[in-house]
């Protein structure tokens, strides 16, 4: 009796295994679909952020060009003096004006607490 039951048991096990594989395959397909939609959404958001940043960069470049054209006689040192009077640090002034840090520190010591500010 047990020998005749064994082939049926094997068929049942194979059917169960096939059902599990089919379920896992369909689950994998759904997960891949969700991943694709999330990835697409994420890429769309990144593209929007990139576009906004590009607009900001263009606007800032335009402002910088307008400033350069509006007062071409303003030397880096005059710019540094103005920035120091506005409270920027020596390292910030040096990087923004293209002067050395020691030059910026000298300007700080001369103009930070000057009575003309």
């Amino acid at each position: 009796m047990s020998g005749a039951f064994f082939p049926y048991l094997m068929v049942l096990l194979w059917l169960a295994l096939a059902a599990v594989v089919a379920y896992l395959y369909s689950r994998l397909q759904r997960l891949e679909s969700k991943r694709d939609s999330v990835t697409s959404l994420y890429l769309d958001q990144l593209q929007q952020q990139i576009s906004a940043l590009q607009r900001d960069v263009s606007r800032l470049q335009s402002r910088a060009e307008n400033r350069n054209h509006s007062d071409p006689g303003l030397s880096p040192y005059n710019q540094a003096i103005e920035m120091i009077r506005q409270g920027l640090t020596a390292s910030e002034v040096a990087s923004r004006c293209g002067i050395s840090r020691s030059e910026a520190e000298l300007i700080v010591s001369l103009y930070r607490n000057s009575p003309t500010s």
Side-chain angles (χ1 to χ4, degrees):
M1 175 89 172
S2 66
F5 181 68
F6 183 72
Y8 294 114
L9 181 61
M10 289 302 292
V11 168
L12 268 173
L13 288 175
W14 278 106
L15 288 174
L17 181 62
V20 168
V21 168
Y23 169 76
L24 290 176
Y25 180 76
S26 69
R27 181 78 176 133
L28 177 65
Q29 295 294 65
R30 283 186 299 223
L31 288 174
E32 286 176 344
S33 175
K34 284 182 182 180
R35 180 204 60 203
D36 291 344
S37 65
V38 167
T39 301
S40 177
L41 178 65
Y42 181 69
L43 289 175
D44 288 343
Q45 289 174 347
L46 285 176
Q47 185 60 44
Q48 290 173 359
Q49 289 175 350
I50 288 170
S51 296
L53 289 171
Q54 287 173 333
R55 284 191 303 272
D56 291 345
V57 166
S58 295
R59 199 172 327 125
L60 289 172
Q61 284 175 335
S62 173
R63 286 165 97 191
E65 288 172 5
N66 288 340
R67 280 187 184 166
N68 290 341
H69 294 305
S70 66
D71 194 2
L74 194 61
S75 74
Y77 300 107
N78 290 337
Q79 290 175 352
I81 292 168
E82 291 302 316
M83 289 180 186
I84 292 298
R85 288 181 176 159
Q86 292 172 6
L88 274 73
T89 65
S91 58
E92 290 174 318
V93 170
S95 66
R96 290 185 185 184
C97 294
I99 61 175
S100 71
R101 184 180 170 119
S102 57
E103 290 173 315
E105 288 171 353
L106 176 62
I107 294 171
V108 167
S109 65
L110 292 172
Y111 291 95
R112 174 63 49 95
N113 297 319
S114 72
T116 58
S117 44

